[in-house]
Amino acid sequence: MKPFRTKFTKILTGLGVTAALLFSIPSSAVSQETALPGKGEVVLEKAGEIELGDLIQQWASEMDHVYAETRIQAKDSNKKIFERLGINDKAFVRYVNSIKGKENPFARLQKGRLIQARLTPTGEVISLRVFRPIDSLSRDVAYFQVSKESGKFKHANLKSEIDAFPIASSAVIKTSLESAAVSANIPANVLAQIKERLSTSMDVNKGVAAGDSFSVIYERRQIDGADLGSGKLLAIEYFSKGKTIDSYWYEGEGVEGYFDSEGNNTDITFLRMPCEARVTSTFNRVRKHPVTGRLRPHWGVDLGAPRGTPVYAAGDGVISSKKYQRRGYGYWLELTHAGGYKSLYAHLSKYAAGMAEGVKVKKGQLIGYVGTSGMVTGPHLHYELKKDGQQINPLIADLRTGENLKEDALEDFKLAISPMRRQIAMLSRLQLAQNSAATGSD
């Protein structure tokens, strides 16, 4: 398997004009071996999902094996999960039930965890994997696996590198950035990264207008041919009233980050929103507290999200505090960063594995989960960012601190992003043609 960390000049080798006209059936609808494009091919995805479980019997006579996947849902049982996957294997069920203790993920089902199975046409298990939470920035993934070898089942906790290939998509905004992303089948975690990139140059809540358009290239990740969903945003070009905002991911000699087409650093030191959520309470010097009813400053932002939503470190740092306050922040963490910055994450339901005071974390690393601990009225994350001891508004503060590319690095960068720029130009022309056909204009 090729390593996940690959320079763009390698990732994008082979991107051609013809790839822009290739459309894919969503990965959940087909066997992963038939769904995945060749390395370097960009696929334009269209909205629509098909449950693999409904197609297993239809394809059984045509395949040696099939892949099936599902996510653990609320009030799920092992029986329901195995039925959705199309498993018809009593020996496998007996083996899973025999695994004792915390090692068995089916003994205590955790909502949202991804499960993938490789089955024979008759529903017998060849292998099954239960994945731990997958960070969109991670380069490897941990999972529990049950596999069959020489007629006998065995299990183990494993970790593997993630492989990735680029996906391209384009959309025109009619009502909102979110609806445009949905129409283009752009995943939620990629949309969050799009907002993060655009936020360095515009107000994504007020600056988006009908008629604006954008094109993106992002990673689709897999392990051993099985799909793990989307990963890092590789490129975005946003077009609005004659103005273009662009940003490209680049890895060079001793440098990595996002840069515009001229090599200017567009990276920001911290994530503005460290979880996928909506803003439910803003940074406010005078706010009525929802629990006590008293007027008091709100020195952070509240991000509403379902309980258990992953929370990521806003930037590289060290865990300086990990505490619990029953009449306050509940379970919370504080990170200390370089340059006099600190970030705080409160009302967590629990911490990610390995979180302890003194532990170093990277930007985008999983640190905990949204919850309702402490004084709250509903599940959300209270997020604070401080500079030299003073709270600042993470949604609007200028957080760009990176250096621009120069000389050889700039030349290498422009060479590396040229295939993406050509691909996005093709996407834009294709999108324009589709819009003209839909409206009947010339």
Side-chain angles (χ1 to χ4, degrees), residues 313-335:
D316 295 354
V318 177
I319 298 176
S320 50
S321 294
K322 176 188 174 185
K323 296 180 180 179
Y324 174 75
Q325 289 179 301
R326 186 176 65 86
R327 297 286 297 172
Y329 282 159
Y331 292 104
W332 62 277
L333 283 173
E334 184 176 66
L335 306 182

Side-chain angles (χ1 to χ4, degrees), residues 113-145:
R113 291 185 71 170
L114 175 65
I115 304 177
Q116 292 181 336
R118 185 177 175 220
L119 311 173
T120 68
T122 58
E124 294 180 354
V125 174
I126 300 172
S127 64
L128 179 140
R129 291 170 173 172
V130 183
F131 291 91
R132 292 185 178 176
I134 303 171
D135 183 342
S136 62
L137 304 180
S138 293
R139 292 173 177 135
D140 54 33
V141 60
Y143 54 92
F144 171 86
Q145 176 174 280

